Every structure is written in structure tokens, then in C-alpha cells.
Amino acid sequence: MAEMDTSGGGGHKKGPGVKKAKKLSTRVDLTPMVDLGFLLITFFIFTTTMSQPTAMRLFLPKDADKPEEQNKAKESGALTLMLGKNTGVFYYEGQLDPTGSNFKSSTMKQIRDVIIEKKRRTPADDLVIVIKPGPESTYKDVVDILDEMTINDIKRYALVEISPVEAQLVSLTEGAGG
């Protein structure tokens, strides 16, 4: 409880004509303020809800019976893009024919039409595009082809290392001027 001491305070000053100042002693009892502080802390502790654990929702692939079949894609839905030098793009659908008859060349500007055509012919769940940057392709080419995936709304694509056979086929085609 706050209280004020109004007692006379100090003594008399010596001498005639000296007015004595009336001193007041103040004493503030802080006990109720501390009680109120602890009361508020207790109130907030009991009324606050603890933060709920939040987790990001992940879309995991479905569990397959055989693990080796889990990442397989249909051959008819696969489109493989290989990046060469000077923004050259080479592609084939399905598996590469041993004779290389399904191996075609294009440019970065024309590859969008190839992707759109493949997307139109293939069901959305089966379409997989495999991107294989060659040893002479640039970082810009990889970024451009990833942009094409976003522009064409391709959900399933993978960035894979080019095989020696494919790299040789790309270099032979580039050397022949096609």
C-alpha cells in the first residue's frame, strides 16, 4: 500500500528569521505492483495457446510393390533433350535407336514446339522429359531449358548426365553441321 509520511521532518535551523522548509517524506510500497505483475504473467501463461507444430505438406510418390519399378516411366511418354554447343538441342522420343534413326536436332527456339507437340500426344501422367546437358553446353542453355519446362507446365522432368554414346552422337551431328 502506498503511503505518504507527512510528519514534521527535519529539525530547526538555527538563527532568527530563517523559514524552515517543510520536508515531506514519501515512501511508496511496491508490493501491490509486484503482485499485479505476477498476476498478469500467470494470466498470460494460462491463456496463451502453445504454437502448433507446422509441417510442410509433401507429396511423396506412391509406394510400389517392387522398388526397381518405382521410378520407371513409360517409353512412349519419354522425351530426351540433349544440349549441345551454340544453343543446339538434340532430342529423341522413347529409347535411342541403335541406328540413331530417331535422333533429331533442333534449336532452343524450336524446342518449345517439340515439347508442346509431345505434351499434346501424351497423357499428362506419362510425360517425362529427360534433360541431358552436354559437355559443351552452357549454364544459360540449362537455365533456358528449365524455363521451357516451367513455361510449358511440365510436371515431371529430370536433369541427367549425358551418356558417352549420346555425347558422341551429339558431337558427330554438330560436326556434320546439323
Side-chain angles (χ1 to χ4, degrees), residues 108-109 111-113 115-116 119 127 129 131 142-155 157:
M108 195 61 77
K109 291 180 181 178
I111 199 66
R112 182 177 297 172
D113 296 334
I115 294 171
I116 290 171
K119 186 177 176 183
L127 180 62
I129 295 183
I131 303 166
V142 176
V143 171
D144 286 347
I145 203 72
L146 291 176
D147 285 344
E148 288 295 328
M149 298 300 116
T150 304
I151 290 168
N152 293 308
D153 195 27
I154 303 296
K155 302 288 183 203
Y157 59 91

Side-chain angles (χ1 to χ4, degrees), residues 83-89 106-109 137-138 140-141 144:
L83 307 177
K85 65 180 178 183
N86 298 332
T87 66
V89 180
S106 180
T107 61
M108 195 61 77
K109 291 180 181 178
S137 64
T138 62
K140 182 184 178 305
D141 294 341
D144 286 347

Side-chain angles (χ1 to χ4, degrees), residues 88-105:
V89 180
F90 303 91
Y91 66 95
Y92 61 88
E93 296 181 23
Q95 286 191 343
L96 181 62
D97 192 53
T99 61
S101 61
N102 61 347
F103 188 80
K104 299 173 184 170
S105 65

Side-chain angles (χ1 to χ4, degrees), residues 7-13 18-24:
S7 65
H12 294 280
K13 297 265 183 182
V18 175
K19 277 188 155 181
K20 67 176 184 180
K22 198 172 191 181
K23 291 187 176 181
L24 297 176

Side-chain angles (χ1 to χ4, degrees), residues 3 5 25 30 34 37 40 61 66 81 86 92 95 102-103 114 118 126 131 137:
E3 60 186 53
D5 185 14
S25 155
L30 298 177
V34 173
L40 287 174
K66 298 177 183 175
L81 304 175
N86 298 332
Y92 61 88
Q95 286 191 343
N102 61 347
F103 188 80
V114 173
K118 182 68 177 177
D126 296 339
I131 303 166
S137 64

